[in-house]
Amino acid sequence: MRHPDDGAELDPRQRAWVDVEADAIRSNVRLIRSEQLGHATRLMAVVKADGYGHGALAVARAAAEGGACQFGVATLAEGIELRRGGIEAPVLVLGNLIDAASLAQCVRWNLMPTLSDPDQARHCHDLARAGGRRLAVHLKVDTGMSRLGVPLGDALPLAEAIQELEGLELAGVYSHLAMADGPPDGRADAVTRRQQEAFRGLLASLQDREIRCGLRHLANSAGTLRDRALHHDLVRVGLALYGHSPSGHLATPGGLRPALHLRARVTLVRSIGAGVGVSYGHHFISSRPMRLAVVAIGYADGVPRLLSGRMEVLHRGRSLPQVGAITMDQLMIDASGCPDLQAGDTVTLLGSSGAAVLSPAEWSDQCGTIPWEILCGFKHRLPRLPAAAPEAVECGQH
Ligand SMILES: *Cc1c(COP(=O)(O)O)cnc(C)c1O
């Protein structure tokens, strides 16, 4: 049966959406490379978790144009998505693949697995040989994160074993920093220094044994911004790529631009008197007559309910406070200060509007979490749409 609307396109900006500015990603990669990295240092764009919620393929393409030469993903499916999308550059799977079927997929799709034990290495070798191929792999070493990686003391024998397996090519040796976003003095510094020393010690013994270990890498965004000595051959940049600083403790290049702009439509504007309760629980009660606007986005879209009454939105560069409990699909704002706001207008919840910018760190501080979790929290209900740099508009201008 044909429905009356078959073939009719729904406007993806009808309700709430994420504008993704590829040009910001491109320019952030260029900026990080020119201001932070030495000439020989490469940049791996970390595009796991659907490119931190921006859309992995769009981010990978833009990052490649900016000069990223490798990609990092967390899962096999994320790697395959890049390959299906036509990305041919090296892709490293940062997560641990332990079963034969997953490792076989790495061979099939030419994805580099992260290895941290001898069984994994032997498995990969067998699969690569069976496919008549050599598989590029990275060896991960635990220097103090206590997450993935072979224990430091077992790293040298494992690297030697990998070198012996002709089905494998050791394309990289890496580790991950636990506290690079911490303050520049005290424990974060001591832990980071200890990790760096452990990593360097291993690299020196690999060199002594004449083991060719490919690219050596240690730094995430925070490590990249913290100290050039942490860069080695390649840096794995996630958060900074998207235009955000991993920490208030680190100097971040001035020109980083947020690539994500979270926007939603106003669907109703009304006047209420003084003493009127707003939203579930009436946690907000108007103290004066006011203009109240309903915005079509809620916690089911990824706006944390914890932000109720503690966030603002931008309308043409002007800030308006959110009031009352954030509901599943909608939230209310106090539009008293913006008499020109009407139903159908777009408001910005994160990212830029005119000269004003709202950053995920403002949300994460309020919610007791980190900007990474905010960016990864936007749900499928929000379309990710390619967008040009937003124009500067003044409040009151139409
Ligand atoms: C996620 C991740 C990164 C990127 O971290 P950012 O802090 O976002 O730059 C780098 N390396 C590994 C191993 C990761 O899991």
Side-chain angles (χ1 to χ4, degrees), residues 192-241:
T192 305
R193 203 167 341 106
R194 226 178 300 135
Q195 288 198 263
Q196 162 81 327
E197 279 162 15
F199 191 59
R200 276 194 170 145
L202 172 67
L203 297 178
S205 26
L206 289 169
Q207 196 166 18
D208 287 346
R209 304 283 178 98
E210 294 182 350
I211 294 176
R212 267 180 290 126
C213 58
L215 298 171
R216 300 158 291 184
H217 48 113
L218 178 63
N220 51 5
S221 293
T224 303
L225 300 176
R226 189 177 190 90
D227 183 356
R228 278 191 185 210
L230 300 169
H231 291 184
H232 300 275
D233 299 320
L234 173 145
V235 292
R236 303 184 305 269
V237 181
L239 195 71
L241 180 75

Side-chain angles (χ1 to χ4, degrees), residues 5-26:
D5 58 353
D6 272 359
E9 289 285 317
L10 196 62
D11 175 5
R13 291 186 170 84
Q14 181 260 332
R15 175 183 171 266
W17 67 95
V18 168
D19 277 333
V20 178
E21 213 189 304
D23 190 54
I25 303 272
R26 250 185 315 264

Side-chain angles (χ1 to χ4, degrees), residues 26 85 100 104 122 156 232 235 256 281 319 333 365 367 394-395:
R26 250 185 315 264
R122 231 163 286 122
L156 191 55
H232 300 275
V235 292
L256 279 188
S319 167
I333 55 176
D365 288 350
C367 298
E394 303 292 318
C395 185

Side-chain angles (χ1 to χ4, degrees), residues 18 35 45 56 58 62 74 84 96 111 119 130 137 179 185 191 202 246 270 288 293 312 333 336 352 370 377:
V18 168
E35 302 221 339
R84 286 205 164 114
N96 211 18
L111 305 169
D119 286 344
V137 300
M179 293 187 71
D185 41 17
V191 169
L202 172 67
R270 64 145 56 94
R288 49 173 169 76
E312 53 186 327
I333 55 176
S336 306
S352 52
I370 52 174

Side-chain angles (χ1 to χ4, degrees), residues 110 210 278 282:
N110 194 25
E210 294 182 350
V278 174
H282 281 188

